[in-house]
Structure formats: C-alpha cells, structure tokens
Amino acid sequence: MQFSSVLASPVLLLQLCINTLRNILASVFLTVRTPGARWGTMSSVAPVGGGEGEGRAQDVMTPTSVNYHFTRKCNYKCGFCFHTAKTSFVLPLDEAKRGLQLLEASGMEKINFSGGEPFLHDKGEFLGKLVQYCKQDLQLPSVSIVSNGSMIKEKWFQKYGDDLDILAISCDSFDEATNQRIGRAQGRKSHVDNLHKIRNWCQQYKVAFKINSVINTFNVDEDMVENILQLNPVRWKVFQCLLIDGENAGEKALREAEGFVISEQLFQDFLERHSSVPCLEIVDGLFMRFLDCREGRKDPSKSILDVGVKEAICFSGFDEKMFLKRGGKYVWSKADMKLEW
C-alpha cells in the first residue's frame, strides 16, 4: 500500500510519482532528509519550470518522476496491498518502450518500476531490458525499482546493475513471524536474511539501496531503529497503511485491509520513536494510463499510447506544489550521490 504518486491503470500501471493524492495523503506527507549516511547524503532539489495561474496549468504538468507498475502479479500476499492481481496482462516490450519514450520526450527524468512484483515476469528479464533501455537509450538521470526482493538473483545485478540507480526493497518488519502475519513471505524463506543479501549485492554492484515499510496494525509497536541503522539505506520510506476502494477495500477488492489500518496518532507515535534514524522519509500502467487517486479510488485516464502524454496527464490529478513539498525531487541518480562503495 505504498502511496508515493499517481497510479496508472487496471491493466498496465503507470503511477506518477508526481501525483498529489492531496485529499487522501495531505496529512501524511512530510520528509525527514538524510544529514549524511555513510552511503551518501540525500537532499531536496529545487523545482524546475513552474508558473502560477490556471491558464498555465497544462504547460507545467510535466511527468518528471514516474512510477510504472507494468504488472499486477505478485508471489506475496500482503494483506494491505493496494495494487492487487486483478489481471495477468503485461504490455508487450516494444509497446512499453514506446510509452517510456513518449514520457521521456515529455520531460520524464526519473522512472521507477514496480508491480505487483516486477522481477516475477520473465524471471526479471523483461524488467532488465526496460532498465537498460531507460538508462542507455533514453539516458534518464535516474532508473529505480521497488521489489519485495524474493525473486532477485545475483546474475541480474551482473547483467543489468550498471544501469540501475536505486533498488528499494519492501520490508515491514524484522520479525519473521510478523512478516508471515502481514503476508510478506513465501513459504519458510527468511525475508530479513534475503534483505541483507540484497543490500550486500547493491553495495558490490554499486546500486543505491533503499527500504520501504508500510506501518500497520502488526508492526506499529516494533522498534526498527537498530536494524535500519545496521542496513544503512540511502533512504527509508515509511508509509501509513491506507485504504483504496476496489483494491484493498470494498466489494470488488481482492484484499481486506481494514484490519491493517492504524490511527493517525499511532502512526505519529511510530515516527517519533524512529526520528533518530537519519534516512527516514515519511510519505503519507497497465495500459499506459495515469491513475487519479484523489477520491479514494483509482480513476484511469486515456492511454498515452493513444492520446499522448500531455492530454492524458491532465486527468492525473497532478499537483506539482504538493509533489515538491513532500520531497518528490531529491538526489536520485547514483552518479550524484557520492556513495562510498
């Protein structure tokens, strides 16, 4: 249930990082930036372009940072998941590349690939080819991935690691029993042991390592400070569990996340207990369509493959001021992070 942007469709998800989610997440967005972890220093970046007034709104709506959920399939069953496996459709590689080229031509600087589990489709080869295309052909400043980590192999880093800037692994608890209750597990495999293994691969192959955590009923009382400091990610993004109608709440949902939702006060208490962690960041498609999540559901735009980026993004609910306020722009290229490998 990780909300950091505008989402994209019921069949190939394109989720804009620059989405406002202002009605749902306005009370959650806040950023605590890294003063100087050993792997580097994170900071916000001043906005590019901009302008005031409704007459210029369309001109300034640039998809600077895009979350692309190209698959809904996943091998985990997290109870709070906001993007469930309602279809197995994945856009053909050539069409996906065409959509990415349209986004780059419209001003995209950062692409993040997510799912579902992005390493599941074609054993990570489809994902690797998209990463390679975005970095080598489109020459994007930043290419990143969000994954549960369970399907990642070292040979993937050997083949595609040079073209990846950031790898974010979802980890909601450092207690295996809690991960089992949440659904972030596969059989008896240790999610935490795998997290450490991937962290070491990231350092070996010079990929910035990041952790995402969803705070919910089962982990809200956990003290994660020591474990996060030991892993030393460049960023630790913490999300409050929220409900999305049709995905993890409501009659047509494949998940029932009501039992995972915590109060705002419990979330703030968790943040206060972890405020000493320097890298803490709080954050409150399938058919290449943007998703507008402002009304507590995901309303798709027309496909950018049919109408282009400029027209489709007008339906995304993008709010550039909110995007910048929540720290949506930061040092996101590993070349600029000055990491100590």
Side-chain angles (χ1 to χ4, degrees), residues 46-116:
V48 288
E52 300 294 335
E54 295 183 2
R56 299 188 61 186
Q58 186 166 330
D59 293 335
V60 301
M61 292 209 299
T62 300
T64 308
S65 177
V66 175
N67 281 348
Y68 181 19
H69 296 241
F70 63 81
T71 179
R72 280 181 172 264
K73 293 184 67 176
C74 186
N75 57 329
Y76 279 13
K77 296 182 179 179
C78 302
F80 48 70
C81 181
F82 81 102
H83 192 59
T84 51
K86 291 189 170 184
T87 176
S88 61
F89 178 84
V90 176
L91 202 66
L93 183 63
D94 288 345
E95 284 292 275
K97 287 182 177 180
R98 185 165 72 89
L100 291 167
Q101 192 280 325
L102 290 171
L103 288 165
E104 186 278 331
S106 297
M108 178 177 67
E109 299 176 13
K110 179 183 184 294
I111 182 71
N112 180 64
F113 295 104
S114 187

Side-chain angles (χ1 to χ4, degrees), residues 214-225:
V214 179
I215 309 308
N216 60 83
T217 303
F218 299 101
N219 65 1
V220 67
D221 295 321
E222 183 173 341
D223 185 349
M224 304 185 190
V225 173

